[in-house]
Every structure is written in structure tokens, then in C-alpha cells.
Amino acid sequence: MDLQVKVLEENLTHHFEVIGEIDAFTVPVLKERLEAVQHIEDVQVVIDLSTVEYIDSTGLGVLIGFYKALQKVNGYVKIIGVNERVERLFKITGIDKIIDIEVKKGGSNDATV
């Protein structure tokens, strides 16, 4: 499946709407978009995963790497629209302890690794 990343910029806040599956084959698209803003001082980023049905370990690695890059420039990232399975994955891996996560209300999409 293809991955689309739509970007909306408002001042220093960048909204990324991720559509599709995040896996080893599609993650370069997401990584390229995120890298474009990871060096901006004080950047604020919102990543919307409400239409992501699947994420694997390469996707998790990109999100962690992006978080670490933003820490170096005093940036902030929040992930919104997370379904129950992705939330469980974030909890198992501890990502929910370092990145601000907002869970989508209702519904359960398959996002197993």
C-alpha cells in the first residue's frame, strides 16, 4: 500500500496527515517529509495517524528519531488520532512515555507489527 503525507503549515506549527500503512517500504516518504522540518528551531509538529491502519518497527524508529532530532532544536511533537492497536504498540515500546500521544476515540484498526 502507498503512503501519503499531507502537510499544512501554520506559523511554526506543521501538521502532517499520514494516510496509509507505515512499513519498511513506505517509511522513506514519511521520513523525508519529517526531515524537512526537524532542523527548525522551536518547531511545533502534529502528526495525525487517524487514517494509519498499520505501523511496523521501521515506522516506530522514524518517529523516535524525529522526536530526538526535535529535542536538539527545542521542538515539540504530538501524535494524534492513534487507534487502539497503535496505542498498545506505543505503550509496549514505551514511546507513549516520551512522545505526547492522543488516542482516537472509538474504533479499532489493525496496526500490528
Side-chain angles (χ1 to χ4, degrees):
M1 177 175 219
D2 291 332
L3 183 74
Q4 297 177 16
V5 181
K6 297 179 181 179
V7 183
L8 173 65
E9 181 182 344
E10 298 175 16
N11 301 319
L12 279 180
T13 302
H14 297 260
H15 299 268
F16 292 84
E17 180 185 0
V18 184
I19 303 164
E21 298 179 351
I22 304 173
D23 59 28
F25 297 106
T26 62
V27 80
V29 174
L30 177 61
K31 186 175 181 179
E32 179 182 330
R33 292 298 190 113
L34 295 176
E35 284 178 345
V37 302
Q38 73 183 20
H39 301 292
I40 301 171
E41 193 72 31
D42 299 318
V43 68
Q44 305 292 303
V45 176
V46 176
I47 302 173
D48 183 353
L49 298 183
S50 60
T51 58
V52 171
E53 297 178 9
Y54 177 87
I55 184 169
D56 71 5
S57 60
T58 57
L60 294 177
V62 165
L63 294 174
I64 295 281
F66 181 65
Y67 167 81
K68 288 180 177 181
L70 290 189
Q71 293 299 295
K72 294 177 183 176
V73 295
N74 199 34
Y76 170 80
V77 61
K78 180 175 186 173
I79 300 175
I80 64 169
V82 174
N83 68 40
E84 291 174 9
R85 290 185 185 253
V86 172
E87 177 191 23
R88 190 171 336 128
L89 185 60
F90 286 167
K91 284 183 177 183
I92 289 169
T93 59
I95 291 174
D96 67 321
K97 302 244 188 293
I98 61 169
I99 299 177
D100 190 7
I101 307 288
E102 181 180 297
V103 177
K104 177 171 47 175
K105 304 295 183 216
S108 175
N109 295 328
D110 187 7
T112 54
V113 174

